[in-house]
Amino acid sequence: MTVRQFLMPLAVILLATHGPALAQTQIPQPNCGDFSTDFYSNGLQSGCARAIIGRQLLIHNADALAKAVASSFHIGTSLIEPAGLESISADEVAARLAGGSSLLISPAADVATATPTPKWNAWIDGKYTWNDNSPENFDLDGPLWNGLGGVDYKLTDKITLGLLGSHESSDLDGIGVETDSEGWGAGPYLGIVLTDNIVFSANLLGSLVDTRQTGPLRFDSKRIQASAALNGYWYKDTWRFTPGVSVSWSKEWMDEKSDAAPDQDVEVALLTPSVQIGNTLRLSESASVEPWAGAALDWTFISEIEQTGSPTTRDPNTDLRVQAGLNFGFGSNLQLSLTGEAGGLILDEIDTYAGQANLAIQF
């Protein structure tokens, strides 16, 4: 028997058992840059746009929630302490430090009378993001406006529970296509002080979204978002060091109403480690400001668009954002945070530029 005669039956057996799997691996794995292929109907642009927006909504959601929970527990620049600390016991000083707020010394001689800690916290957070996509992402350029607001109540000194609402509006213009969307949502959130320095926050948000694309396409969507985060607050004199990590996920079910394209499901999930460093400065007897800078690494480990009759689009990516801002404290119960952000530092397909404002009041 020759070598050829020996190998031929073996090759037939291998092809019979592994042929389908081998053929499947040879199918090109599409992503949103494959707009020139015939994998999809022209509805793919809407799915790609919603994946882009969904990722940015998750980033804002986790960030705004962390700010809200910190305000609820009076962590940050909200408390300005008078002078005369020499008359306070060591236990009282430790208790104030454990609360997380920076101790700022003002030239008053007397110790302020202690007031009860407010139980209620109301806040609103708005963000504007300009998207500058490359042709690989359909060149979808344009703004995203999104806002969050909520009210929470401290069940104990270490647990707060609240309800939040959301609104989003986007207008992305690309290569031969325009994709607009608008949506509203609501859901619960939770904050827990785990240790003197670490705070846990989490929320669940359900939304209804209307998406319109150039031509007859119109999608009605139902979306669920969820996020959880751990943030640390360490203080040295007036300096703050805040490392954090968050994980967030969303799933959007897009129902095409004109029957001009298949329905789509869009799923996005992120893991984001981050860090911030700030220094609190006294502005007056009742006001302070904290300039700060930070960075966040966004690992989008799930980015999928499922469309009937087409291969699933998978487009995971990693990006770096840098941030800087000012945190203002007015009296004991009013905080204002202003943030500027640039993203797309290591992501070729998109650059983002954002501004954000957060206002919180405790009562």
Side-chain angles (χ1 to χ4, degrees):
M1 177 181 289
T2 65
V3 174
R4 178 187 178 90
Q5 290 173 326
F6 174 77
L7 292 178
M8 283 298 292
L10 181 60
V12 171
I13 294 173
L14 288 173
L15 287 173
T17 57
H18 298 285
L22 291 173
Q24 185 176 5
T25 60
Q26 292 173 357
I27 296 176
Q29 179 61 61
N31 56 45
C32 283
D34 291 322
F35 64 89
S36 60
T37 72
D38 57 2
F39 280 127
Y40 300 93
S41 72
N42 60 358
L44 178 63
Q45 293 97 324
S46 292
C48 288
R50 293 307 301 162
I52 293 169
I53 296 301
R55 178 176 172 273
Q56 295 170 3
L57 293 174
L58 288 178
I59 290 171
H60 180 223
N61 193 21
D63 182 59
L65 184 62
K67 286 187 175 73
V69 170
S71 297
S72 183
F73 289 118
H74 268 214
I75 298 172
T77 60
S78 59
L79 297 182
I80 298 180
E81 300 292 345
L85 292 179
E86 67 277 359
S87 63
I88 300 178
S89 68
D91 290 340
E92 288 175 317
V93 172
R96 295 183 186 216
L97 289 173
S101 298
S102 301
L103 294 181
L104 303 183
I105 308 304
S106 62
D110 299 323
V111 178
T113 302
T115 58
T117 303
K119 294 289 188 180
W120 290 94
N121 175 54
W123 58 276
I124 186 170
D125 190 299
K127 187 174 183 180
Y128 171 86
T129 304
W130 176 262
N131 292 275
D132 183 10
N133 280 275
S134 69
E136 287 76 17
N137 267 4
F138 294 105
D139 201 27
L140 290 166
D141 299 338
L144 165 66
W145 296 88
N146 55 300
L148 293 166
V151 177
D152 58 79
Y153 179 79
K154 282 197 292 186
L155 302 178
T156 71
D157 290 340
K158 295 187 176 182
I159 300 176
T160 188
L161 184 64
L163 293 174
L164 64 85
S166 70
H167 178 256
E168 65 187 82
S169 177
S170 67
D171 182 4
L172 303 182
D173 299 333
I175 299 176
V177 64
E178 178 180 351
T179 302
D180 302 332
S181 65
E182 185 173 16
W184 298 85
Y189 67 94
L190 172 72
I192 302 175
V193 177
L194 299 179
T195 72
D196 288 345
N197 303 101
I198 298 176
V199 179
F200 171 80
S201 57
N203 85 306
L204 184 66
L205 184 66
S207 302
L208 299 176
V209 185
D210 178 27
T211 301
R212 301 165 299 282
Q213 185 176 307
T214 302
L217 298 186
R218 178 181 173 183
F219 295 87
D220 286 345
S221 300
K222 298 179 179 66
R223 185 184 65 227
I224 294 178
Q225 293 174 264
S227 70
L230 289 173
N231 287 282
Y233 299 90
W234 279 269
Y235 289 85
K236 176 63 175 178
D237 298 325
T238 58
W239 288 90
R240 172 178 63 90
F241 175 66
T242 300
V245 62
S246 66
V247 60
S248 51
W249 167 89
S250 74
K251 184 69 175 285
E252 184 168 339
W253 295 268
M254 301 174 61
D255 182 14
E256 210 288 306
K257 307 306 292 185
S258 67
D259 296 326
D263 297 340
Q264 299 175 15
D265 296 341
V266 179
E267 185 175 10
V268 180
L270 282 80
L271 178 66
T272 301
S274 63
V275 64
Q276 291 182 7
I277 298 176
N279 184 32
T280 299
L281 307 173
R282 176 176 165 272
L283 296 178
S284 70
E285 296 297 326
S286 59
S288 64
V289 61
E290 180 198 55
W292 64 272
L297 185 69
D298 301 311
W299 174 35
T300 307
F301 58 91
I302 297 178
S303 181
E304 296 185 355
I305 305 171
E306 296 181 0
Q307 182 170 282
T308 304
S310 301
T312 298
T313 296
R314 291 184 174 89
D315 199 12
N317 56 71
T318 303
D319 189 26
L320 177 66
R321 291 176 290 120
V322 293
Q323 299 173 310
L326 298 171
N327 294 332
F328 294 91
F330 303 100
S332 299
N333 303 329
L334 180 64
Q335 303 86 40
L336 172 65
S337 175
L338 304 176
T339 303
E341 177 185 278
L345 300 185
I346 60 175
L347 192 61
D348 294 333
E349 292 81 7
I350 183 173
D351 294 318
T352 59
Y353 310 93
Q356 183 177 350
N358 181 289
L359 180 65
I361 183 170
Q362 297 78 52
F363 55 96

